[in-house]
C-alpha cells in the first residue's frame, strides 16, 4: 500500500463540519482545468492523495455511481477559490481519460466507501479499472483508423499473422457504418471478401457466367456483376449512408488482374462520376445502368466507385506464397502497421483460460527474442490471436508447452526453413521455446 499503487478510487464527499452542503463532483471534473479533491490535510486519505505520483490512474465516483477515469497530472495544491465552491481542501489537476457514460460496464456494489483508496491487484476494483483502460486503448486505435479511412477512402492494415487485423477491420467498419459489430453480417452496407490466387476480375467486377437455358440441357453464358460491382450499385442507391468493403489478405490475390481498370476509380481523388471507367465487358451491356445515368456520355458499361464506399484491406507482409503489392496500388492505399502488442490485451480479454497473465508474459518473452534474431525480426512476431488455441489443462506450464508443440513450434520452424542449417535451426527453435516457457537451457 502507498503512493506507488497503480490504481486508486476516490469519492469527493464533503469534509465533516462544512454545513452539510452536497458537493457536485461532476462539476469539479468539468472545470476548465479538471480537478479532484480531498478534505482535511491530517487524514490518512488526504496524505495519500497528496503523496501519489503523477501518472496515477484514479476512478472517480459518487457512491457506486461511476463518473470518470482520470490521470493525475500535477502535484497537490490548495485553492481558496475551489474550496469555496467544493469544500475540499486539497486538489490535484487531472486529465480525463474517459467518461463513464461512454463505457458500458459500470457495475454497482463494486467500490467500498472512502475518500481516496488504493485498488489492490486481487480486487474487483482493480480489474474493473484495468478492463476500462484496455477499452480506452482499443477506442483510441479505432478512432485513429476510422479517421484515416474517412479521410483517405482506403486503408490497408498490415502486420504479422495473428495481430487481429481482420477483427480490427470489422470494428472500424461497424464504427463507420454506425452499428454494432455483431450486426455487420447481413447488413447491405458491409461486405467481407477474402482474396486468393484464383480470384479474378469476373469475381470482383463483372464477367460471363454459365447458366442452363430454360427448358433445355444447353449451357449458355450471360454477363453477371461481381461482388464489388453489386456492392457499389447498392451504395449508389443509398448515398446518405456509408458502405464499407473489407478485403482480407489482399496480397494473396493478383491485384492487377482483379481490379483491372478500377485502379483509377478506387483512387480517393477520383471517387464518384469524375472517376468513371469503361469496364472490360462494356460492349455486352445492352441497357443503360445506374452508373451510365450519372455520366454525361453516350457509352454503356460505365462504372465508378461511389463516394460513400470505403475500402479496408488486410495483409501479412511475410506471406511467402504471394507477391508484395505493386507501387501503383500502394499509392492509393495508405498502410498502417499493426504490431503484435497493439491488440494483445483485447484478445486476452476474450480468453477463458485461468492463466492469462502467464500467457501474456510468455508471448512477450518470445516476441522480444524473435525481434532480436537477425534471421527473423519484428515482421515475424507472433500475434495474440494464436493464443485463442490455448487449452486450459489446469497447469499453466503444461498448457503453454502443449500449445508450443501444437502450434508455435511448427510456425517458427516454417519461418526459418531454408535460412539455417538443420543444426542451427534446431538450436534456434529450442532457444525460442525456452524463452517462451521461461525455461533454463541445458548449458544453464
Amino acid at each position: 500500500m502507498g503512493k506507488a499503487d497503480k490504481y486508486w478510487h476516490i469519492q469527493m464527499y464533503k469534509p465533516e463540519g462544512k454545513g452539510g452542503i452536497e458537493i457536485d463532483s461532476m462539476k469539479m471534473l468539468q472545470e476548465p482545468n479538471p480537478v479532484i479533491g480531498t478534505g482535511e490535510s491530517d487524514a490518512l486519505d488526504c496524505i495519500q492523495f497528496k503523496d501519489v505520483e503523477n501518472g496515477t490512474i484514479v476512478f472517480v465516483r459518487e457512491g457506486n455511481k461511476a463518473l470518470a477515469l482520470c490521470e493525475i497530472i500535477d502535484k497537490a495544491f490548495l485553492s481558496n477559490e475551489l474550496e469555496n465552491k467544493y469544500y475540499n481542501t486539497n486538489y490535484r489537476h487531472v486529465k480525463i481519460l474517459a467518461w463513464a457514460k461512454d463505457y458500458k460496464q459500470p457495475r454497482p456494489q463494486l467500490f467500498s466507501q472512502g475518500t481516496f483508496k488504493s485498488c489492490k491487484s486481487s480486487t474487483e476494483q482493480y480489474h474493473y479499472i484495468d478492463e476500462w483502460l484496455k477499452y480506452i486503448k482499443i477506442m483510441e486505435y479505432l478512432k485513429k483508423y476510422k479517421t484515416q479511412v474517412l479521410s483517405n477512402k482506403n486503408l490497408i492494415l498490415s502486420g504479422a499473422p495473428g495481430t487481429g487485423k481482420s477483427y480490427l477491420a470489422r470494428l472500424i467498419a461497424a464504427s463507420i457504418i454506425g452499428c454494432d459489430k455483431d450486426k455487420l453480417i447481413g447488413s447491405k452496407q458491409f461486405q467481407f471478401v477474402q482474396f486468393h490466387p484464383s480470384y479474378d476480375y469476373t469475381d470482383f467486377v463483372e464477367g460471363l457466367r454459365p447458366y442452363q437455358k430454360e427448358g433445355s440441357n444447353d449451357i449458355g453464358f450471360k454477363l453477371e456483376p461481381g461482388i464489388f460491382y453489386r456492392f457499389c450499385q447498392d451504395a449508389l442507391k443509398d448515398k446518405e449512408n456509408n458502405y464499407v468493403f473489407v478485403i482480407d489478405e489482399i496480397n494473396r490475390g493478383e491485384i492487377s488482374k482483379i481490379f483491372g481498370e478500377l485502379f483509377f476509380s478506387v483512387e480517393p481523388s477520383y471517387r464518384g462520376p469524375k472517376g468513371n471507367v469503361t469496364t472490360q465487358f462494356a460492349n455486352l451491356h445492352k441497357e443503360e445502368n445506374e452508373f451510365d445515368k450519372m455520366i454525361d456520355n453516350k457509352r454503356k458499361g460505365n462504372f465508378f466507385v461511389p463516394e460513400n464506399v470505403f475500402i479496408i484491406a488486410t495483409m501479412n507482409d511475410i506471406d511467402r506464397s504471394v507477391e508484395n503489392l505493386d507501387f501503383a496500388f500502394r499509392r492509393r492505399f495508405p498502410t498502417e502497421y499493426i504490431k503484435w502488442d497493439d491488440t494483445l490485451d483485447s484478445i486476452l480479454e476474450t480468453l477463458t483460460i485461468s492463466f492469462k497473465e502467464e500467457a501474456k508474459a510468455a508471448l512477450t518473452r518470445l516476441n522480444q527474442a524473435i525481434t532480436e534474431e537477425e534471421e527473423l525480426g519484428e515482421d515475424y512476431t507472433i500475434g495474440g490471436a494464436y493464443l485463442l488455441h490455448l487449452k486450459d489443462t489446469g497447469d499453466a506450464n503444461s498448457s503453454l508447452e502443449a500449445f508450443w508443440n501444437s502450434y508455435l513450434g511448427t510456425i517458427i520452424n516454417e519461418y526459418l526453413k531454408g535460412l539455417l542449417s538443420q543444426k542451427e535451426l534446431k538450436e534456434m527453435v529450442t532457444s525460442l521455446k525456452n524463452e517462451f516457457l521461461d525455461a533454463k537451457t541445458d548449458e544453464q
Side-chain angles (χ1 to χ4, degrees):
M1 193 280 294
K3 64 182 180 180
D5 288 347
K6 189 175 180 180
Y7 303 143
W8 295 70
H9 62 101
I10 188 170
Q11 172 162 302
M12 298 181 291
Y13 64 85
K14 160 193 65 61
E16 291 183 17
K18 292 294 184 179
I21 299 174
E22 295 251 349
I23 296 173
D24 190 337
S25 300
M26 182 62 80
K27 287 185 177 179
M28 295 175 68
L29 299 175
Q30 293 172 336
E31 286 279 338
N33 294 305
V35 293
I36 56 176
T38 62
E40 304 297 343
S41 301
D42 57 349
L44 177 60
D45 287 355
C46 302
I47 293 171
Q48 292 176 156
F49 179 81
K50 291 187 293 183
D51 221 15
V52 293
E53 299 171 351
N54 288 341
T56 296
I57 303 300
V58 181
F59 172 80
V60 183
R61 61 190 178 83
E62 283 184 341
N64 279 313
K65 179 185 176 183
L67 296 183
L69 201 61
C70 306
E71 177 185 345
I72 293 178
I73 60 174
D74 204 355
K75 63 182 180 180
F77 66 95
L78 305 176
S79 168
N80 290 332
E81 180 184 355
L82 290 173
E83 186 169 0
N84 288 336
K85 284 197 287 186
Y86 304 119
Y87 299 96
N88 284 300
T89 304
N90 305 291
Y91 293 90
R92 297 193 71 160
H93 286 120
V94 294
K95 173 185 176 182
I96 307 296
L97 300 178
W99 297 103
K101 63 181 177 62
D102 299 323
Y103 185 52
K104 298 180 181 179
Q105 302 301 323
R107 296 161 59 187
Q109 308 304 320
L110 197 59
F111 296 91
S112 61
Q113 296 299 307
T115 303
F116 187 68
K117 300 289 185 184
S118 66
C119 303
K120 299 304 178 186
S121 60
S122 60
T123 63
E124 274 193 278
Q125 291 95 322
Y126 182 97
H127 293 293
Y128 174 82
I129 295 170
D130 210 42
E131 289 171 11
W132 196 352
L133 286 171
K134 291 171 185 175
Y135 176 81
I136 292 170
K137 184 178 180 181
I138 293 170
M139 290 301 104
E140 286 175 349
Y141 281 127
L142 190 58
K143 182 179 179 181
K144 171 187 173 183
Y145 299 139
K146 176 183 177 181
T147 300
Q148 283 190 289
V149 175
L150 291 175
S151 300
N152 300 307
K153 303 290 187 180
N154 308 319
L155 180 67
I156 289 178
L157 301 175
S158 175
T163 50
K165 299 181 293 296
S166 300
Y167 178 77
L168 182 57
R170 290 175 186 271
L171 285 180
I172 298 168
S175 182
I176 291 173
I177 292 170
C179 73
D180 189 90
K181 178 181 70 67
D182 296 332
K183 296 181 180 179
L184 279 176
I185 303 302
S187 169
K188 68 175 184 177
Q189 293 173 248
F190 173 78
Q191 183 65 59
F192 182 94
V193 64
Q194 189 174 74
F195 279 6
H196 51 78
S198 298
Y199 208 82
D200 65 14
Y201 184 90
T202 61
D203 299 304
F204 194 65
V205 185
E206 63 179 359
L208 292 173
R209 294 287 184 186
Y211 74 100
Q212 188 171 359
K213 295 181 179 179
E214 188 176 352
S216 168
N217 291 327
D218 293 340
I219 300 297
F221 289 87
K222 62 180 178 179
L223 185 64
E224 291 283 355
I227 192 169
F228 187 65
Y229 192 108
R230 291 195 301 271
F231 187 76
C232 290
Q233 282 180 317
D234 289 339
L236 193 61
K237 298 171 187 175
D238 187 19
K239 298 176 184 178
E240 301 303 313
N241 292 306
N242 292 331
Y243 281 61
V244 182
F245 194 92
V246 174
I247 305 171
D248 196 37
E249 300 195 23
I250 190 171
N251 58 328
R252 293 194 68 239
E254 190 175 331
I255 300 302
S256 297
K257 183 175 74 171
I258 294 172
F259 277 81
E261 64 281 347
L262 266 59
F263 263 32
F264 179 75
S265 299
V266 298
E267 187 162 337
S269 58
Y270 288 102
R271 290 295 175 88
K274 64 179 178 292
N276 76 88
V277 294
T278 303
T279 64
Q280 294 176 26
F281 294 87
N283 62 313
L284 297 180
H285 282 261
K286 303 302 182 183
E287 298 178 359
E288 192 177 51
N289 65 31
E290 298 90 340
F291 303 99
D292 295 330
K293 294 172 184 177
M294 299 187 65
I295 299 169
D296 188 20
N297 62 45
K298 301 301 181 182
R299 298 193 311 260
K300 287 188 175 67
N302 292 286
F303 177 82
F304 57 84
V305 180
E307 294 183 29
N308 59 329
V309 169
F310 303 88
I311 304 172
I312 305 172
T314 72
M315 62 179 284
N316 300 323
D317 283 330
I318 63 170
D319 193 335
R320 293 178 179 172
S321 65
V322 298
E323 295 294 331
N324 286 329
L325 298 182
D326 61 43
F327 289 117
F329 198 79
R330 288 276 196 178
R331 287 196 302 271
R332 292 160 170 81
F333 278 73
T335 301
E336 279 290 338
Y337 188 85
I338 310 300
K339 296 182 179 179
W340 67 271
D341 54 348
D342 287 343
T343 53
L344 179 58
D345 285 334
S346 60
I347 293 171
L348 282 168
E349 285 303 311
T350 67
L351 300 183
T352 58
I353 58 174
S354 60
F355 53 98
K356 292 184 183 182
E357 290 304 316
E358 291 89 340
K360 179 178 181 179
L363 192 65
T364 300
R365 289 191 302 269
L366 174 62
N367 281 332
Q368 287 174 344
I370 288 174
T371 301
E372 293 168 3
E373 287 291 349
E374 184 177 349
E375 291 82 1
L376 297 173
E378 188 174 37
D379 286 344
Y380 290 83
T381 50
I382 304 296
Y386 282 107
L387 297 178
L388 298 173
H389 298 291
L390 270 170
K391 306 296 183 184
D392 199 337
T393 63
D395 177 72
N397 291 334
S398 63
S399 295
L400 290 170
E401 184 161 11
F403 174 55
W404 175 275
N405 294 335
S406 299
Y407 289 95
L408 298 189
T410 303
I411 295 167
I412 299 296
N413 264 292
E414 194 63 32
Y415 283 169
L416 295 167
K417 189 181 294 183
L419 300 177
L420 302 170
S421 67
Q422 283 298 315
K423 180 181 178 182
E424 291 171 330
L425 175 62
K426 184 177 180 181
E427 288 175 350
M428 184 174 291
V429 172
T430 300
S431 174
L432 292 173
K433 179 179 180 179
N434 287 332
E435 287 290 344
F436 180 71
L437 300 175
D438 199 20
K440 294 182 179 179
T441 64
D442 294 337
E443 297 171 344
Q444 291 177 308

